[in-house]
Amino acid sequence: MTSSNSVAVPGSNDDAVLQWVTFKLDNETYGINVMQVQEVLRYTDIAPVPGAPHYVLGIINLRGNVVTVIDTRSRFGLASADVNDSTRIVIIEAEKQVIGILVDSVAEVVYLRRSEIDNAPNVGTEESAKFIQGVSNRDGELLILVDLDKLLSDEEWMELTQI
Amino acid sequence: MSKLVDDAVCDYFSSLLNETPVAQRVNTDEATGLNHGTLSAELRPQQGNSAVQVKEFATAEVEERINPQALAQLLAPVSAPVEPKPAVTAVAEKQLAAVAQKPALIAATDLNSTPESVNSEQINVVAAQSSATAKSMTKDLIEQLDEEFQVLFFKVAGLTLAVPLVSLGGIVNLERISHLMGRPSWYLGVQQHRQSQLNVVDTCAWVMPEKYDQTLAQNVSYKYIVLLQDSNWGLTCESLVNTFKIHKSQVNWRSQAGKRPWLAGVVKEQMCGILNVDALIAMLDSGLGSQG
């Protein structure tokens, strides 16, 4: 985990507070490193790209820049859902690329102590098992922390640059 | 299959045929004398608070489909008088010697590490370890138990399983399960329990994956989670039958590990599998299915 989203807490250097932007997907709450989030957009039309990989929804024009939008639900192995007023595109930076991820809604920024983050059970056999960086119990609800750098494999990140 | 086991299987089937529907069976939890309070204060059934869709369970239909095959599979290694040594065990023993010199394959991860996909080689080695140690685990379990010991019987999709009370960590109601991506189909997800995360196993999918199709999945109505010792693993179940005091001699203990080290033996009178919880936890920790 990068420590770039940590906030220094006097007297507790080994238990830094980390900031996470939380979003919802299929009624589960996920968290991503706040330092990797550039902005959050309302849903806008996504132009499909012929021949693009299945995990790419398409591209959007963000102030003159072309940004590829990833189908997060598909990536997480979830069923697709209709777009509604809560749908957001989160613009993130991962593996030195700026991409958008489509989410059901964006909730808030939460602060978690490192000690509050637990390891996810290591029983995953699929690629998507790598996405989970850890889990945390927050107000009785499970927050699943996602490692955005692992969202795509090295080959897939490379593939994105060629779209 | 020996005559004794044959008779017992017939008795078991007869008892299933005469069994009451699930609606009545739930009511009989108390009637049968199961003291919920002694097991866990959280055991009281709560309806309508589960995020998991609870559907009417077509008991008779599911039991009719599942029991004969499932029980036959569970009993197969037990009832065979001389089980031929599985080829995998021989390979496993060789691998185990090599593995003994290596550090643990699956180490606890920290936040800087990521769970890597378990490749087939790892699975084979872990299976080898599970298989080779299962015999000693069963022996350990037998030694750990008193001559007379208590077991809890619980049901899932018509199949009855027993867990020794010494291996029972508690029972909690099934509430909100958080799904984690990329996990095996038998891994239901995580439920919060006393400020920690409980890994919830879809028992039916784990025990009999070959029978677990879409129809069965829709018919199974889990209500409780049976906690395994002090681990963070729990088995889902549909109903709690009762606790019984049984004698060691009332169990057909498995003499060979076979493919199912998690099965310590079969309780003869009730004809149900008794769990080897230590082996079961080891398998779940390794991400293995019931067949190893």
Side-chain angles (χ1 to χ4, degrees), chain A residues 1 27-28 30 76 117-126 128-133 135 137 140 142 144 150, chain B residues 106 109-112 114-115 117 176-184 187 190 192 195 197 199 233 284 287:
Chain A
M1 181 194 300
N27 292 322
E28 299 294 349
Y30 296 89
F76 286 10
I117 300 172
D118 300 322
N119 296 324
N122 187 16
V123 295
T125 53
E126 294 176 20
S128 52
K130 295 180 184 175
F131 306 163
I132 302 179
Q133 196 168 5
V135 293
N137 179 8
L142 191 76
I144 303 166
K150 299 275 192 323
Chain B
I106 299 181
T109 56
D110 60 25
L111 288 174
N112 294 316
T114 54
S117 295
R176 189 184 189 283
I177 300 281
S178 296
H179 174 76
L180 294 184
M181 67 193 93
R183 268 55 190 175
Y187 185 85
V190 174
Q192 300 293 322
Q195 300 302 312
Q197 281 82 40
N199 298 314
W233 288 102
L284 294 173

Side-chain angles (χ1 to χ4, degrees), chain A residues 53 55 75 95 97 127 130 152-162:
Chain A
Y55 54 85
R75 204 63 195 156
E95 293 289 313
Q97 290 190 56
E127 275 296 301
K130 295 180 184 175
L152 300 174
S153 66
D154 291 344
E155 293 76 22
E156 288 168 335
W157 282 115
M158 187 69 75
E159 209 172 17
L160 276 192
T161 62
Q162 293 159 3

